[in-house]
Amino acid sequence: MTAKWEFVLCDALAKVHPVREPRPVSAGTRFQAFLGEPASFQLAYRPPLEPTFRNPSPLQVRVEGPAADLVTVSTVDLVPCTFLALPGHDDGYEYDEPGLYPDVLRPVRNGEAPVRFGSWAALWFDVSTTNSARTGVQEITVVITDPDGAELHREQVSVELTDLELPPLDIVSSHWMHLDSLADHYGVEVFSEEHWAIVERFMASAAEMGATSLLAPVWTPPLDTAIGSYRTVVQLIDITVTADGYRFGFERLRRWLELCRRTGITGVEVAHLFTQWGAKATPGIVVSQDGAEPTRAFGWDVPATDVRYRELLEALLPALQAVLDEEWDREHVVFHISDEPSGEDGLASYLAAKEVVADLLKGWTVVDALSEHSFYTSGAVALPVVATDHVEPFLADRPERLWVYYCVSQDRDVANRFIGMPSARNRAIGHQLFAAGVDGFLHWGFNFWYTWHAIRRINPFEDTSAGGAFPSGDPFAVYPGPDGTPWPSLRHRVFAQAMWDHRALQAVRAAHGNAAALDIIDPDRTLRFNRPVLEPDHYYESRRRLTEALTTGS
């Protein structure tokens, strides 16, 4: 391998496409992280562009220097994307044609870096520590050799690990983790020991991404499910009906809550009490009759206002709330009525469903996603979760508490984390959430490995758009690695950076006031949800100034 190889150092917001020249790191970019945060960078590489070069043997990568043990290395793998953007999309996309694009971060094994003939590839490096004694400027040397050991490239990278522990995220960062998806993909029995182990690993990955709250499947969540069909049952609560009434078992729920504690998840979202898009029916709840095998007792065929459902909830909700009060702080628990109601009919059915449970939820926080301001002004939803492209009226007529969300429909003008978008458009959400002063963020798809409406399972390494229904990347931010190990995506890592940005802004606000924090990220006070900053250097310069404000007091 004596022919010319090419190497380019890139920041963490670059996407290294196989046939596009990679964007090199700017001269002023500083790789920096706080205690517990990864400082990330990439090294792009391309084999000789000569038809005679045909050696597919992987390269070898190693890290040298006193901080080498603080570094983890991944390869940035390509995934197929058939739906990147809708026709007539805005200018804030990096890719819009079907093809193979960088997304999966696959851990490097045995120091091997794959070779792609005629194409760029990239290695991703994370440098982090929680030990104050290991902080400071670390000089890291990346060495690339050919299979025979001959050195092809040596790159010295300075990484600043700042000896400062940031405050915990003070907003809710909610992500819906789908337990059925884990069981279905890995082919394990629901709530078997193997399933629990996988759940814990993916919980930890969600927390690493910046999640503080997860959806608790106290019953199988009635979400993204075709009418008349049902998803794999992942009901945490045992429900038995006898001649004397209902009896409940909460052992699995308590175990789930313990996993949340262990992995750093502080918020609990109780699964929706009624079906999605109108609250017209009941969730597919399974019930055991006098100890027999549980069977479905509620579902699409049982209306939301059916007296049998009210009878169940009269017994179940007080018992569930007693367990939650015992195990958790109710200030960090939310209930949902129904997801995404809309239109006059949707409002009417939502209000009818809400009436079924209103007295049973007194004293508890109820949160629901919606986009129509009239739903809030009608009093239907006291704490709305509003789409970022519909939030301006809510900011003008502000609820006491307000969350925002984005998903498939937020494809124009606002931040999102589709694979086709530049990473800066993903990272923007941290600055936006802080500047707007909202109380929470929600995303529906941490690991939705199904087609639209969960009609069939998909392999996320082969299908990134739920069978073509959603822009690639919308349904999930994490991939199922071998043996139940989560593999993060580029988008997972960058969203985490956005949440670390928010935490740094909180720290500056606490030390110097809110105006000082805003002066760093939004000096003109023009930042809005529909105007994300797409310049990568903005985020590195903002981070430099945040760090300076926290370490020098100015």
Side-chain angles (χ1 to χ4, degrees), residues 122-436:
L123 294 166
W124 178 281
F125 299 83
D126 285 323
V127 189
S128 66
T129 185
T130 57
N131 182 355
S132 292
R134 304 296 302 278
T135 56
V137 177
Q138 304 291 342
E139 300 296 337
I140 293 163
T141 302
V142 177
V143 181
I144 307 293
T145 61
D146 70 14
D148 299 323
E151 186 171 306
L152 297 174
H153 185 71
R154 179 176 290 261
E155 186 84 46
Q156 186 163 319
V157 183
S158 295
V159 175
E160 180 183 335
L161 301 178
T162 304
D163 186 13
L164 185 66
E165 185 173 349
L166 294 181
L169 194 65
D170 68 355
I171 62 170
V172 177
S173 177
S174 175
H175 300 264
W176 291 352
M177 187 174 78
H178 302 269
L179 269 60
D180 56 341
S181 197
L182 298 176
D184 288 346
H185 181 86
Y186 286 107
V188 299
E189 182 182 348
V190 172
F191 299 133
S192 63
E193 288 304 312
E194 190 174 6
H195 188 218
W196 279 115
I198 294 169
V199 168
E200 182 170 10
R201 288 194 284 271
F202 277 81
M203 269 190 182
S205 179
E208 188 179 56
M209 193 180 77
T212 64
S213 180
L214 296 177
L215 190 68
V218 290
W219 41 81
T220 304
L223 299 168
D224 301 288
T225 308
I227 294 175
S229 69
Y230 298 93
R231 291 169 59 169
T232 298
V233 174
V234 287
Q235 181 174 307
L236 288 170
I237 300 175
D238 283 325
I239 304 175
T240 301
V241 62
T242 70
D244 299 322
Y246 285 106
R247 186 173 69 248
F248 308 107
F250 293 101
E251 291 77 12
R252 288 195 298 268
L253 174 60
R254 292 182 190 275
R255 183 169 182 176
W256 190 89
L257 293 170
E258 177 57 30
L259 293 188
C260 288
R261 273 190 287 267
R262 286 213 299 256
T263 56
I265 298 297
T266 57
V268 175
E269 287 185 73
V270 177
H272 299 70
L273 286 153
F274 301 91
T275 52
Q276 199 169 18
W277 310 305
K280 294 181 179 179
T282 55
I285 296 174
V286 296
V287 176
S288 174
Q289 183 81 32
D290 288 321
E293 190 70 20
T295 58
R296 188 177 59 78
F298 299 90
W300 292 107
D301 55 340
V302 180
T305 55
D306 192 294
V307 66
R308 292 171 295 168
Y309 191 49
R310 167 68 189 193
E311 289 171 353
L312 169 66
L313 295 181
E314 284 178 347
L316 174 55
L317 287 182
L320 169 60
Q321 290 160 353
V323 171
L324 291 171
D325 272 335
E326 180 184 337
E327 294 276 354
W328 221 255
D329 179 355
R330 72 162 61 185
E331 291 300 312
H332 298 284
V333 176
V334 300
F335 282 81
H336 294 290
I337 304 296
S338 176
D339 189 53
E340 300 255 22
S342 63
E344 290 185 11
D345 289 346
L347 176 58
S349 58
Y350 182 91
L351 290 173
K354 182 180 177 182
E355 183 63 25
V356 172
V357 295
D359 61 322
L360 301 175
L361 296 178
K362 286 181 178 178
W364 295 84
T365 301
V366 178
V367 173
D368 275 316
L370 54 89
S371 297
E372 296 182 25
H373 190 243
S374 60
F375 268 57
Y376 166 64
T377 56
S378 74
V381 181
L383 202 171
V385 188
V386 184
T388 52
D389 57 348
H390 288 79
V391 75
E392 288 303 322
F394 292 83
L395 293 172
D397 178 21
R398 197 177 185 111
E400 183 178 346
R401 295 168 65 190
L402 175 65
W403 294 12
V404 297
Y405 77 93
Y406 58 58
C407 63
V408 53
S409 298
Q410 285 61 58
D411 62 319
R412 293 189 63 85
D413 303 324
V414 295
N416 212 316
R417 61 188 193 213
F418 302 157
I419 290 174
M421 291 178 172
S423 287
R425 193 163 176 174
N426 181 357
R427 187 157 174 178
I429 194 67
H431 287 189
Q432 292 176 317
L433 293 169
F434 183 87

Side-chain angles (χ1 to χ4, degrees), residues 12-47:
L13 297 183
K15 289 191 174 183
V16 179
H17 186 273
V19 297
R20 297 186 186 181
E21 293 297 314
R23 176 178 59 80
V25 65
S26 299
T29 297
R30 182 171 66 176
F31 301 125
Q32 178 273 339
F34 296 101
L35 283 174
E37 178 189 17
S40 304
F41 61 90
Q42 299 177 81
L43 183 64
Y45 60 98
R46 183 167 66 178

Side-chain angles (χ1 to χ4, degrees), residues 73-145:
V73 188
S74 305
T75 63
V76 184
D77 282 1
L78 305 175
V79 291
C81 300
T82 57
F83 173 22
L84 286 157
L86 287 165
H89 61 76
D90 63 39
D91 293 333
Y93 282 75
E94 192 161 351
Y95 316 122
D96 63 0
E97 296 179 349
L100 294 171
Y101 295 97
D103 198 49
V104 186
L105 295 181
R106 178 172 56 83
V108 162
R109 304 296 184 195
N110 303 315
E112 294 183 346
V115 172
R116 299 181 194 146
F117 296 127
S119 300
W120 287 99
L123 294 166
W124 178 281
F125 299 83
D126 285 323
V127 189
S128 66
T129 185
T130 57
N131 182 355
S132 292
R134 304 296 302 278
T135 56
V137 177
Q138 304 291 342
E139 300 296 337
I140 293 163
T141 302
V142 177
V143 181
I144 307 293
T145 61

